[in-house]
């Protein structure tokens, strides 16, 4: 076994009724690494992140984290173990304040109800604790979604298109933030439409196409041109 492996997906198949979304997919996220998961719309990227997070039960295959099999463990157990998902669309509670959103991530026991670490890592949120999350900009909401994950003290963060719908300048800020998380040693599994930015940050890359792995290797071996032409169908 790969002793560097933090998270492994081993021969995972996921289907929605008759529709197979992932077929025999295997992938490894190494400790302290950034892994990009790329591919066209409908390739199964979100499904893979949801299977790892515990939101989607595989039909077959195995998922291991930190040496333990987690294939059928519930979401909260995975969060406690150190696996956290920033979902597509961010998943913040729009009607709750920033403080309430952060507290919602923490266990109920008072001793651990300290949102300080999230505010240190995402200082822009500190001045907005009483603001309803839904009244913030898209970029600020995305920062809040990242901060929530960060509060659970994750070893790996699964990021589903964190740049979606954001202006380029804001995308830069988000990528700076996730770069800082990576620099702290948190592993990242990154689904991203901004291929260049993802490959800049990533050590390893996988391309999913129609539910199957079409490329696996070093991020630097995956050229943007090849990716666009071979997998995303852009000439
Ligand atoms: P996108 O970039 O569009 O989000 P994706 O690579 O994340 O695409 P998935 O969302 O994982 O792909 O979808 C993979 C396949 O599974 C698609 O064919 C999709 O239509 C199908 N699918 C996804 N979710 C469901 C669901 N809840 N019920 C039925 N089919 C689904």
């Amino acid at each position: 076994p790969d002793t560097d492996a933090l998270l492994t997906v081993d021969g995972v198949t996921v289907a929605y009724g008759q529709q197979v979304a992932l077929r025999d997919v295997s992938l490894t996220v190494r400790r302290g690494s950034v892994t990009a998961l790329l591919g066209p719309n409908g390739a199964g990227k979100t499904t893979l992140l949801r299977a790892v997070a515990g939101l989607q039960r595989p039909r077959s295959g195995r998922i291991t984290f930190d040496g333990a099999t987690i294939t059928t463990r519930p979401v909260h157990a995975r969060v406690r173990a150190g696996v956290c998902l920033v979902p597509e669309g961010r998943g913040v509670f729009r009607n709750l304040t920033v403080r309430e959103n952060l507290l919602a991530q923490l266990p109920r026991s008072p001793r651990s109800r300290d949102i300080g670490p999230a505010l240190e890592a995402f200082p822009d949120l500190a001045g907005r604790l009483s603001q309803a999350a839904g009244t913030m900009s898209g970029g600020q909401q995305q920062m809040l979604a990242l901060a929530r994950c960060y509060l659970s003290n994750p070893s790996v963060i699964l990021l589903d298109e964190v740049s979606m719908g954001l202006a380029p300048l804001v995308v830069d800020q988000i990528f700076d933030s996730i770069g800082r998380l990576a620099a702290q040693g948190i592993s990242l599994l990154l689904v991203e439409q901004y291929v260049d930015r993802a490959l800049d940050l990533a050590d390893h890359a996988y391309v999913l196409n129609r539910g199957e792995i079409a490329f696996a290797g070093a991020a630097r071996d995956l050229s943007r041109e090849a990716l666009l032409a071979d997998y995303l169908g852009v000439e």
Side-chain angles (χ1 to χ4, degrees), residues 106-204:
L106 292 170
R108 293 199 178 279
S109 89
R111 210 184 293 180
S112 59
R113 293 178 79 73
D114 177 12
I115 61 173
L119 302 181
E120 269 167 46
F122 299 91
D124 290 352
L125 295 176
R128 302 181 176 277
L129 287 174
S130 304
Q131 187 173 347
T135 66
M136 296 198 299
S137 71
Q140 289 159 351
Q141 289 184 42
Q142 190 63 73
M143 291 291 185
L144 175 58
L146 288 168
R148 267 178 47 181
C149 249
Y150 181 75
L151 262 190
S152 66
N153 197 20
S155 314
V156 63
I157 303 181
L158 317 170
L159 299 149
D160 201 350
E161 300 199 17
V162 286
S163 62
M164 176 92 84
L166 302 178
L169 208 66
V170 181
V171 175
D172 289 343
Q173 293 168 358
I174 298 286
F175 268 82
D176 285 347
S177 296
I178 62 181
R180 282 196 294 274
L181 298 180
Q184 287 183 30
I186 300 173
S187 303
L188 306 178
L189 179 57
L190 185 64
V191 169
E192 188 48 64
Q193 297 290 345
Y194 282 94
V195 166
D196 298 328
R197 284 188 164 95
L199 290 178
D200 274 350
L201 193 62
D203 310 294
H204 304 280

Side-chain angles (χ1 to χ4, degrees), residues 16 19 21 40-47 88 161 193:
Y16 302 102
Q19 160 112 17
N41 289 336
K45 306 179 299 294
T46 295
T47 299
E88 212 171 0
E161 300 199 17
Q193 297 290 345

Side-chain angles (χ1 to χ4, degrees), residues 14-76:
V14 174
Y16 302 102
Q18 297 289 335
Q19 160 112 17
V20 176
L22 293 177
R23 191 185 306 276
D24 196 21
V25 166
S26 297
L27 164 153
T28 301
V29 176
R30 296 199 169 79
R31 282 176 209 281
S33 78
V34 177
T35 301
L37 178 60
L38 308 171
N41 289 336
K45 306 179 299 294
T46 295
T47 299
L48 182 55
L49 295 191
R50 287 173 55 84
V52 171
L55 293 162
Q56 187 66 51
R57 178 76 65 99
R59 187 162 283 187
S60 57
R62 193 150 75 120
I63 302 171
T64 65
F65 175 71
D66 214 2
T69 299
I70 60 165
T71 320
T72 59
R73 280 211 209 150
V75 175
H76 61 86

Side-chain angles (χ1 to χ4, degrees), residues 92-120:
V92 301
F93 301 112
R94 299 179 57 83
N95 295 324
L96 298 187
T97 66
V98 168
R99 185 197 309 278
E100 288 163 345
N101 267 277
L102 292 172
L103 285 170
Q105 184 72 15
L106 292 170
R108 293 199 178 279
S109 89
R111 210 184 293 180
S112 59
R113 293 178 79 73
D114 177 12
I115 61 173
L119 302 181
E120 269 167 46

